[in-house]
């Protein structure tokens, strides 16, 4: 006759009940989820306390990032381990089951605790993020509605001003204003129109930067305006135009380069954080399964 606990004996005495103690799994998962969220809030508080908007004060961004990764791993180890251990201690004792099968079931219980806890945590955090996004969207919709009303009023006022004043065009878009300016250019600019001349030249410079170059007609006209306003000769005024356009183009290129570098740094940071989040979840799964086997072994040692 086969000995109790042997594979042959197990096959003949297979229970009709499930090998999973779902009550223990649910209890462990809830404990793991609550512990995870609690430690996550504590970590956020520590991160906010260690950072500072003032230059030279508080931890650096790199230090905060490293600390966040370490804390993420610690959270997984503690929460998943605690949940797995509780599931191992609370599960029912399996009789007439081989020790290898007991070890496998405890490991499976720990993995189920981790999987259920991770799913619930993700759902809660997603729901919180959705609520925050919904609130921001409502605020944004209100702001857009207010901005639309303000824009309508501005357009109406601009149209009325254009109809009643010789210097109309205040309600026009900058690109339209540039083309409108070309209709009223004169070969003899008025030296008394200083502010208006500067505004017109600014629109020409902006259009030239957006276009990538300054047309000969624009350059000649701006040179005449500068000559009238400053008293310099035509070649000097044209040199000023070239120098200004080049400096503005360099500034735009530098700003574009910085934006690309910032986007690339954000991409690398997001990729690194995602990778470490994946590693921390693997560590959490291992911690939960190991703690479940320890808890189950301790539970079976009590006769």
């Amino acid at each position: 006759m086969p000995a109790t606990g042997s594979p042959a004996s197990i096959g003949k005495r297979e229970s009709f009940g499930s090998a999973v103690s779902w009550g223990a799994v649910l209890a462990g998962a809830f404990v793991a989820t609550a512990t995870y969220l609690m430690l996550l809030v504590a970590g956020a508080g520590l991160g906010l306390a260690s950072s500072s908007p003032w230059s030279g004060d508080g931890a650096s961004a790199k230090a905060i990032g490293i600390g966040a990764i370490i804390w993420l791993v610690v959270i997984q180890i503690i929460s998943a381990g605690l949940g797995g251990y509780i599931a191992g201690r609370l599960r029912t004792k399996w009789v007439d089951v081989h020790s290898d099968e007991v070890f496998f079931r405890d490991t499976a219980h720990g993995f189920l605790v981790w999987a259920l806890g991770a799913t619930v945590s993700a759902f809660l955090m997603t729901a919180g993020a959705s609520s925050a996004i919904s609130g921001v969207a409502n605020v944004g919709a209100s702001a857009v509605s207010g901005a639309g009303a303000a824009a309508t009023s501005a357009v109406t006022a601009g149209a009325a001003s254009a109809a009643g004043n010789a210097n109309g065009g205040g309600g026009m878009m900058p690109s339209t204003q540039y083309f409108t300016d070309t209709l009223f250019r004169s070969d003899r600019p008025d030296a008394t129109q200083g502010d208006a001349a500067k505004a017109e030249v600014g629109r020409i410079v902006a259009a030239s930067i957006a276009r990538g170059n300054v047309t000969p007609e624009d350059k000649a006209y701006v040179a005449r305006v500068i000559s009238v306003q400053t008293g310099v000769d035509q070649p000097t005024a044209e040199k000023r135009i070239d120098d200004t356009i080049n400096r503005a183009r360099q500034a735009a290129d530098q700003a574009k380069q910085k934006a690309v570098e910032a986007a690339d740094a954000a991409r690398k940071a997001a990729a690194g954080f995602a990778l470490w989040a994946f590693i921390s979840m693997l560590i959490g799964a291992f911690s939960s399964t190991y703690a479940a086997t320890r808890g189950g072994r301790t539970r079976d040692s009590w006769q």
Side-chain angles (χ1 to χ4, degrees), residues 85-231:
Y85 184 81
I86 289 178
R89 288 297 300 268
L90 294 181
R91 58 108 171 134
T92 58
K93 184 176 182 179
W94 298 298
V95 296
D96 295 335
V97 177
H98 195 271
S99 58
D100 291 341
E101 180 64 18
V102 172
F103 179 80
F104 172 80
R105 292 184 181 184
D106 282 333
T107 303
H109 275 65
F111 189 78
L112 287 173
V113 167
W114 169 82
L116 185 58
T119 303
V120 173
S121 298
F123 173 78
L124 293 177
M125 287 188 290
T126 302
S130 299
S131 299
I133 293 173
S134 177
V136 172
N138 291 333
V139 173
S142 300
V144 169
S145 177
T152 302
S153 300
V155 171
T156 303
S161 177
N165 298 298
N167 296 326
M172 298 182 181
M173 297 297 292
S175 58
T176 306
Q177 185 65 55
Y178 165 75
F179 292 110
T180 304
D181 290 338
T182 62
L183 300 176
F184 297 94
R185 289 181 181 178
S186 172
D187 293 335
R188 296 183 300 276
D190 189 356
T192 62
Q193 301 294 326
D195 293 338
K198 290 179 181 179
E200 182 183 5
V201 169
R203 291 189 290 269
I204 295 174
V205 171
S208 300
I209 294 174
R211 188 170 49 239
N213 60 356
V214 56
T215 63
E217 296 80 4
D218 288 344
K219 185 175 181 180
Y221 175 74
V222 172
R224 287 197 300 271
V225 173
I226 294 174
S227 179
V228 170
Q229 295 293 329
T230 62

